[in-house]
Amino acid sequence: MMRLKIIILFPLFFLLFNCGYKVANLQKNYNILEVETSGDNRINYKIRNKLLVTSKNANATTIRLSLNSKKKKNIKEKNINNQITKYEIVVTTIIKYESINSPYKGEFSIIKTGDYSVSEKYSDTLNSEKNLIKNLINDIVEEIQDNLSTNFNDT
């Protein structure tokens, strides 16, 4: 009886768990030639530099990027004395790309949000805001790289 269960379960196990899924190859298959920017200059400068440093591939598709970034700072929380205790920052980036070698072009947008607390010292509050923006920029750059890799591995 036990042997029959093993004989039945063994092939069933392989059929269920061998679904044919394979991991996508997310190599950077593009080389960024130039980046046009508009909107928030500080955010665009940091995104541009991070993208240009990581996209040095000689045998890849050459692309041109256009970045449009906006930063919006909102009040998230106030205390009982109507003093601001928490801010929220929303960074929206619209990325347009086009291949120089082929007529392939596209567009996508990324929206990242985060919040930080107001400290008793103004300098601590500014440092919290800078750290949050730095983290949001790193997330945006990662997502841009993933999206471009996915799009140019499909072609």
Side-chain angles (χ1 to χ4, degrees):
M1 186 66 173
M2 183 67 158
R3 190 174 191 151
L4 182 62
K5 285 182 183 179
I6 291 174
I7 292 174
I8 292 173
L9 289 177
F10 190 68
L12 185 64
F13 188 73
F14 277 110
L15 286 174
L16 290 177
F17 291 107
N18 192 7
C19 63
Y21 174 79
K22 69 178 186 178
V23 179
N25 184 11
L26 291 179
Q27 293 178 348
K28 292 179 179 63
N29 224 10
Y30 57 89
N31 184 20
I32 299 174
L33 180 66
E34 72 178 74
V35 179
E36 293 178 16
T37 61
S38 62
D40 192 315
N41 290 330
R42 182 173 283 168
I43 291 175
N44 282 334
Y45 178 77
K46 291 179 181 178
I47 291 174
R48 179 183 165 271
N49 285 344
K50 287 179 185 270
L51 286 174
L52 288 176
V53 165
T54 60
S55 73
K56 303 292 182 195
N57 191 350
N59 297 329
T61 306
T62 306
I63 62 172
R64 186 175 292 139
L65 287 180
S66 173
L67 298 174
N68 184 3
S69 296
K70 296 176 188 168
K71 176 180 83 168
K72 189 174 181 182
K73 184 175 174 182
N74 300 323
I75 298 170
K76 187 168 183 180
E77 289 181 12
K78 289 185 176 184
N79 64 9
I80 208 161
N81 296 331
N82 208 20
Q83 295 173 333
I84 299 170
T85 58
K86 210 176 253 192
Y87 282 105
E88 176 185 46
I89 292 184
V90 179
V91 178
T92 305
T93 306
I94 299 171
I95 300 96
K96 295 179 184 177
Y97 58 90
E98 66 178 293
S99 175
I100 294 175
N101 306 337
S102 64
Y104 189 70
K105 62 169 90 173
E107 177 180 338
F108 60 94
S109 64
I110 299 170
I111 300 171
K112 295 290 180 184
T113 62
D115 54 31
Y116 66 95
S117 298
V118 175
S119 181
E120 290 182 19
K121 293 183 181 178
Y122 182 67
S123 61
D124 290 342
T125 304
L126 284 179
N127 286 334
S128 296
E129 181 179 0
K130 285 180 185 178
N131 288 335
L132 175 63
I133 291 173
K134 180 180 167 186
N135 292 337
L136 292 176
I137 288 172
N138 288 337
D139 292 345
I140 289 172
V141 168
E142 245 179 63
E143 199 165 324
I144 289 172
Q145 289 172 340
D146 290 345
N147 205 320
L148 289 175
S149 294
T150 302
N151 288 334
F152 286 103
N153 279 338
D154 288 346
T155 59

